């Protein structure tokens, strides 16, 4: 027997904007607090990775709740109305991508791929959050993307702390969990699901383009990672 969640009407545009702004303050305050304490000892990228883990956990849980609330009917079509619980998940991540975009742009770890990843991700989530449709499929994509991030960023933090994968069983298992999670969620599941979005007659063309771009980024990263894995090269 499924547990029914309390019903709420979707946020208005002003409420949705205020919700994103609140979470910008939350992620920004967390980032500044960690920078003030750890930047000199560990660097600004270390701070970004820790905040990314926190975001992955929060957004993953909220996206799972949003998908659960929409079962089973939302799986049957695309471009359905965005629900309140979907807005909760999307707004958290829009705010995170804004804050992290600023950190990447001005920080010591600038990366063009991440810049475009954040632009495409935040833009796509914003369409569903503020536009009133396509919230379910964006929550599915958000969940598929974020489930591997705690392992990715935890792995980076352990490497930065001096752990070696050949010597640390913890690091080895985190690497394996990331590899299989990324391969299953983003590649094996994400590719056909994104393809169905692109082929859907109801999906807005801009979301099709942005979804396709994220899929290309994921495949590029996965191919590079697989090559290093086969050559037994270290990577972060």
């Amino acid at each position: 027997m499924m547990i029914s969640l309390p019903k709420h009407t979707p946020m208005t545009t002003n409420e949705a904007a205020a919700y994103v702004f609140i979470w910008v303050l939350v992620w920004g305050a967390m980032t500044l607090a960690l920078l003030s304490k750890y930047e000199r000892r560990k660097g600004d990228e270390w701070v970004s990775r820790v905040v990314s883990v926190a975001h992955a956990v929060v957004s993953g849980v909220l996206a799972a709740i949003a998908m659960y609330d929409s079962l089973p009917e939302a799986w049957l079509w695309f471009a359905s109305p965005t629900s309140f619980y979907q807005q909760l998940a999307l707004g958290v991540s829009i705010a995170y991508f804004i804050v992290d975009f600023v950190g990447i742009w001005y920080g010591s770890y600038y990366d063009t791929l991440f810049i475009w990843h954040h632009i495409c991700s935040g833009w796509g989530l914003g369409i569903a959050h503020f536009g009133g449709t396509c919230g379910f499929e964006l929550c599915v994509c958000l969940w598929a993307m974020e489930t591997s991030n705690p392992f990715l960023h935890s792995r980076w933090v352990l490497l930065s702390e001096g752990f070696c994968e050949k010597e640390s069983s913890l690091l080895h298992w985190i690497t394996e969990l990331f590899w299989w999670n990324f391969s299953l969620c983003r590649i094996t599941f994400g590719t056909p699901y994104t393809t169905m979005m692109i082929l859907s007659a109801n999906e807005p063309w801009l979301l099709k383009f942005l979804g396709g771009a994220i899929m290309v980024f994921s495949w590029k990263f996965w191919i590079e990672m697989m090559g290093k894995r086969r050559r037994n090269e270290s990577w972060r």
Side-chain angles (χ1 to χ4, degrees), residues 164-183:
C164 175
E165 188 171 345
K166 293 181 179 179
E167 300 173 358
S168 171
S169 58
L170 174 61
L171 183 57
H172 170 76
W173 282 110
I174 288 177
T175 301
E176 290 300 307
L177 287 170
F178 167 73
W179 165 257
W180 288 106
N181 187 291
F182 192 97
S183 299

Side-chain angles (χ1 to χ4, degrees), residues 78 189-201 203 208:
F78 291 99
F189 169 77
T191 299
Y193 190 80
T194 305
T195 302
M196 288 191 296
M197 283 179 56
I198 294 172
L199 296 177
S200 171
E203 200 74 11
K208 294 182 181 184

Side-chain angles (χ1 to χ4, degrees), residues 116-164:
W116 283 108
H117 173 276
H118 282 25
I119 290 174
C120 291
S121 298
W123 195 355
L125 297 178
I127 291 173
H129 183 67
F130 295 105
T133 60
C134 308
F136 181 80
E137 55 263 41
L138 269 295
C139 282
V140 172
C141 293
L142 179 65
W143 180 85
M145 289 192 298
E146 293 301 329
T147 52
S148 61
N149 281 344
F151 305 116
L152 173 65
H153 298 305
S154 297
R155 181 182 185 280
W156 188 96
V157 168
L158 288 174
L159 286 170
S160 70
E161 296 290 343
F163 285 82
C164 175

